[in-house]
Amino acid sequence: MITKRTSLKIVALGAVSAAALAMGGLAPAFAQTKELKIGFVGVTSGPAAAWGTSNVRSMQTRADWLNEQGGVKIGNDTYKITVVTFDDQKDPRRAIAGMEKMAQEGIRYVVGPNVDDGAAAVRPVAESKGIIYFPYAFPKSLYEKPASNAVLGMVANYQSAPEIYKFLKEKKGVKKIAFVAANESDPLSQRDGGVAAAKALGLEVVAANDTYQNDTRDFTPVLTPIVRLKPDLLVLSGVAPGNAPLLIRAARELGYQGLISAETAQDATVLQEGAGALANGFISVGGASTPEIRSKTMDEFIQRYTKKFGEYNDESNTKVYALDYIIETLKANPAAIDNVEEYKKTMDTFTAPNPYVKEGHPLKYVGTTSFGQKRQVSVPMVVTEFKDGKFETLFVGSVD
Amino acid sequence: MEQVVVNGLYLGAQYALIALGLTLIFALMNVLNFAHGQMYVLGGFVTYTIYGQMKLPFVLALVCSGLTLAVVGAFCEKFLFRPVIRRSKRDESTMLLAAAIAFLLDAVILLLFGEKQRGVPKIINGVFLSDTIVMPYDRIVVGVVAIVMIATFVLYMQYSKTGRAMRALAQDRVAAQLMGVNVERYSMIGFALGAMLAGVVGGLLVTITGISSGIGGPISIKAFMMVMIGGAGVVGGAIAGGFILGMMESVGLTVLREFGDITYLVIFVCLMVFLSIRPNGLMGKPWG
């Protein structure tokens, strides 16, 4: 006799069996979509948080966008992108811990760190664990042989400075140049590179030793003696986006009327809020930043970023590139998905269309001139002038 | 040289105001408030939101910064420091609590206001120019306001009933209690006042230096330096420490500029030598 309880059991078993069969039938379709983890190790807290935050947010915005389109097809598989982040607090010891965490998670490609000492500190971990990383740090030793796992994620100041100074010498009549830098490894090394480039161009360097603490809030005492030297160009070497408007404002309020430039990427909103019209004429380097050269894809990226995080950061004009470079290189050689040696082989010949500019500037690895091997992403070297809250393109260069 | 002196005085007035709140809280409760810099930052962001974003009057923004931080300070004293002081006999407990509050505020501020440096429109345009001195009018205004606020604070502490009660508390907590001073009430008022000062200074200086989420720590360190120079827990010492540090910075950055950034190195060496000779600072009293 079939009781009510037995009937319920039969129905329940039938339902479970049907669900299992349905799942089994769908299983092959799900199996096609895998997860590709890309790491980030950099600074997202403290005074330099802006550097790493723009990295992370660029990666997350781009990853969400690609995932929304169904993921990326690499070889025969489709991958959803997952961004794994680690805040190194600008501390080399934490950067090492972050890179080790990435290794433990089986991550092969990491964006960051953001500063020289962090990038140098993670090198042994990256090389021993087989990780390719994309620092935003300039020491050549990271990219020259025998090093081979680091790929510079932007244009270095020793590549952009000669171009900028030459342009300003020829077009604006700059003869005397002064440098001021924060008393930290990155800005100081950038300052030294800038001084060498200026001297090579025959410019008179009137100030090369002036420095400031990175947490300085009022730069009037720092700039008072420099302004008195009346340079034609004041270079803010390696200046953090937060300090740039304060330095510009202090210099202008002290009566400085010459040009001011920096070789680091800046943010238009920060400049406008912090210095307003006093920042007009400020020259800096960005990537795919200005409406004149950016593509519709870049416009959409900015819209998506703004929608996701409330406000765009112009530093992301350069930092949007790293994730695309990793994905496109993996597409070019699917065997590199878990083998960085394959990735390195592909770097020498890799090229792909650049989605972020209207034309030209294909994605490719460069750096042969500076490092003797291709260990740098090619991004357009867009030299911009700040004017009334926006960046305007002065000229576009490139690195080989 | 006149410019260097003016820069030093202006910086000193700023620094003195920053250090006042810190030394007040230390005097009243023997608490090293590591979150003082974060309170300064929060005050700056309140002014940024009200004056910079909502375009409301600057004075209103400054008042709101002060009130917000007074509430935060009173809350911290009543619900965090008071129970810890009651239950723990060790000074480290309050220090750890203060450090935890600093980290918490850092994280909250970063979440609420983002990672970018923020700035507001100048409160007054123009620059004072003479043969030897260049000084923007807004810096002059901020310097004068800072000096007026310091004077008001000193007078308030000297002559008001609340000020007298807090001074009594700072001198001898037990004796003040025996004389009928409501220790808990005045501790809370004192902490709120110290936090309020931090908030007002943050709001005031956002017009000159802007504000960003990560600067709380460095601000606290500078404030501690001033307090160490002047003497912990002494209002006059904090003021003196602020002006001394401001002047040393201004002179050092001019005289030592050819040698790179050794100004702070020299300042720290001087501080070490000074403290080895006078461990209680200029006006401080021996602990206990």
Side-chain angles (χ1 to χ4, degrees), chain A residues 131-193:
Chain A
I131 293 173
I132 295 271
Y133 62 113
F134 292 72
Y136 294 81
F138 298 157
K140 289 187 175 181
S141 59
L142 290 171
Y143 314 107
E144 290 171 337
K145 287 178 180 172
S148 65
N149 285 41
V151 183
L152 176 57
M154 62 191 293
V155 178
N157 86 302
Y158 40 76
Q159 295 165 329
S160 60
E163 300 284 328
I164 295 174
Y165 303 161
K166 189 178 170 203
F167 174 85
L168 295 176
K169 182 184 175 187
E170 290 171 359
K171 306 283 182 189
K172 308 272 185 181
V174 168
K175 289 177 184 153
K176 288 200 292 182
I177 187 167
F179 292 84
V180 62
N183 190 26
E184 291 188 352
S185 59
D186 294 44
L188 291 177
S189 67
Q190 291 184 42
R191 178 199 64 187
D192 294 344

Side-chain angles (χ1 to χ4, degrees), chain B residues 121-205:
Chain B
K122 286 162 76 80
I123 49 173
I124 181 169
N125 287 312
V127 178
F128 172 80
L129 279 170
S130 76
D131 291 341
T132 51
I133 295 169
V134 179
M135 186 57 71
Y137 287 128
D138 59 350
R139 281 176 164 79
I140 296 172
V141 169
V142 166
V144 170
V145 170
I147 289 168
V148 168
M149 283 178 66
I150 291 166
T152 307
F153 177 79
V154 171
L155 290 173
Y156 180 77
M157 291 300 287
Q158 197 68 31
Y159 296 111
S160 73
K161 185 186 167 192
T162 310
R164 280 199 298 270
M166 285 194 279
R167 279 194 292 132
L169 210 59
Q171 282 171 15
D172 193 322
R173 201 174 177 85
V174 176
Q177 197 166 17
L178 290 171
M179 297 303 288
V181 174
N182 186 334
V183 170
E184 290 192 344
R185 180 164 178 255
Y186 284 105
S187 290
M188 188 168 79
I189 291 173
F191 207 107
L193 192 59
M196 188 184 83
L197 276 170
V200 170
V201 183
L204 193 63
L205 293 185

Side-chain angles (χ1 to χ4, degrees), chain A residues 44 46-47 49-50 53 57 183 207 209-213 215 217-218 220-222 224-225 228-229 242 246 249 253-254 267 270 273 311-313, chain B residues 3 7 10-11 14 48 53 110 115-120 122 127 132 134 136 138-139 207-211 214-215 218 253 257-258 260-261 264:
Chain A
T44 55
T53 306
R57 290 182 171 180
N183 190 26
N209 293 324
D210 294 81
T211 55
Y212 56 85
Q213 295 287 314
D215 56 21
R217 306 305 298 158
D218 193 327
T220 307
V222 176
T224 298
R228 296 223 161 132
L229 299 169
L246 302 179
R249 184 170 161 173
E253 287 178 341
L254 283 168
D267 184 79
V270 171
E273 280 188 0
E311 185 180 12
Y312 186 62
N313 188 328
Chain B
Q3 181 72 49
N7 286 345
Y10 159 71
L11 275 182
Q14 274 188 31
Y48 165 76
Q53 298 294 100
L110 186 62
E115 79 289 1
K116 284 188 183 180
Q117 163 84 12
R118 301 294 183 184
V120 298
K122 286 162 76 80
V127 178
T132 51
V134 179
D138 59 350
R139 281 176 164 79
T207 62
I208 308 282
T209 63
I211 198 81
I215 60 161
L253 286 167
R257 57 177 286 272
E258 279 301 322
D261 187 34
Y264 260 86

Side-chain angles (χ1 to χ4, degrees), chain A residues 33-296:
Chain A
T33 304
K34 295 181 176 178
E35 184 185 39
L36 174 61
K37 287 184 182 176
I38 307 290
F40 168 78
V41 176
V43 51
T44 55
S45 61
W51 283 334
T53 306
S54 59
N55 269 120
V56 170
R57 290 182 171 180
S58 299
M59 293 169 74
Q60 288 172 337
T61 303
R62 187 61 173 149
D64 287 355
W65 190 0
L66 293 170
N67 291 340
E68 193 182 296
Q69 292 171 337
V72 291
K73 193 162 171 33
I74 298 171
N76 295 322
D77 296 317
T78 302
Y79 291 84
K80 292 276 185 187
I81 310 295
T82 303
V83 178
V84 180
T85 67
F86 185 92
D87 177 13
D88 68 13
Q89 298 171 4
K90 213 170 154 221
D91 179 345
R93 289 166 301 178
R94 281 189 57 83
I96 293 169
M99 198 58 94
E100 281 172 347
K101 176 182 182 275
M102 298 299 153
Q104 283 163 10
E105 293 208 21
I107 294 169
R108 296 285 175 203
Y109 302 97
V110 173
V111 176
N114 297 99
V115 292
D116 289 5
D117 48 9
V122 301
R123 180 180 162 187
V125 182
E127 290 180 352
S128 65
K129 306 284 183 185
I131 293 173
I132 295 271
Y133 62 113
F134 292 72
Y136 294 81
F138 298 157
K140 289 187 175 181
S141 59
L142 290 171
Y143 314 107
E144 290 171 337
K145 287 178 180 172
S148 65
N149 285 41
V151 183
L152 176 57
M154 62 191 293
V155 178
N157 86 302
Y158 40 76
Q159 295 165 329
S160 60
E163 300 284 328
I164 295 174
Y165 303 161
K166 189 178 170 203
F167 174 85
L168 295 176
K169 182 184 175 187
E170 290 171 359
K171 306 283 182 189
K172 308 272 185 181
V174 168
K175 289 177 184 153
K176 288 200 292 182
I177 187 167
F179 292 84
V180 62
N183 190 26
E184 291 188 352
S185 59
D186 294 44
L188 291 177
S189 67
Q190 291 184 42
R191 178 199 64 187
D192 294 344
V195 169
K199 284 180 177 170
L201 283 166
L203 296 170
E204 182 192 351
V205 179
V206 294
N209 293 324
D210 294 81
T211 55
Y212 56 85
Q213 295 287 314
N214 215 8
D215 56 21
T216 302
R217 306 305 298 158
D218 193 327
F219 289 93
T220 307
V222 176
L223 291 175
T224 298
I226 303 173
V227 168
R228 296 223 161 132
L229 299 169
K230 295 185 178 170
D232 301 317
L233 173 64
L234 172 62
V235 180
L236 314 179
S237 299
V239 65
N243 285 338
L246 302 179
L247 280 154
I248 294 167
R249 184 170 161 173
R252 294 294 182 215
E253 287 178 341
L254 283 168
Y256 177 66
Q257 293 182 338
L259 296 161
I260 306 177
S261 76
E263 287 109 37
T264 42
Q266 303 296 323
D267 184 79
T269 309
V270 171
L271 287 170
Q272 182 63 23
E273 280 188 0
L278 295 176
N280 282 347
F282 174 61
I283 295 159
S284 64
V285 182
S289 55
T290 52
E292 296 100 301
I293 70 159
R294 71 185 179 219
S295 65
K296 285 181 180 171

Side-chain angles (χ1 to χ4, degrees), chain A residues 292-308:
Chain A
E292 296 100 301
I293 70 159
R294 71 185 179 219
S295 65
K296 285 181 180 171
T297 305
M298 188 68 197
D299 283 330
E300 187 173 347
F301 171 78
I302 293 171
Q303 282 170 13
R304 283 174 176 268
Y305 186 113
T306 309
K307 190 178 172 190
K308 189 174 172 68

Side-chain angles (χ1 to χ4, degrees), chain B residues 3-73:
Chain B
Q3 181 72 49
V4 176
V5 173
V6 168
N7 286 345
L9 288 173
Y10 159 71
L11 275 182
Q14 274 188 31
Y15 288 165
L17 207 50
I18 292 172
L20 269 185
L22 185 71
T23 208
L24 176 67
I25 290 170
F26 181 79
L28 291 180
M29 303 175 65
N30 209 21
V31 166
L32 283 170
N33 183 20
F34 291 115
H36 194 72
Q38 283 72 13
M39 290 175 169
Y40 165 101
V41 173
L42 187 56
F45 272 116
V46 171
T47 295
Y48 165 76
T49 306
I50 294 172
Y51 174 58
Q53 298 294 100
M54 297 163 76
K55 310 293 179 198
L56 292 170
F58 175 68
V59 174
L60 175 69
L62 209 55
V63 170
C64 288
S65 285
L67 288 177
T68 305
L69 266 299
V71 171
V72 170

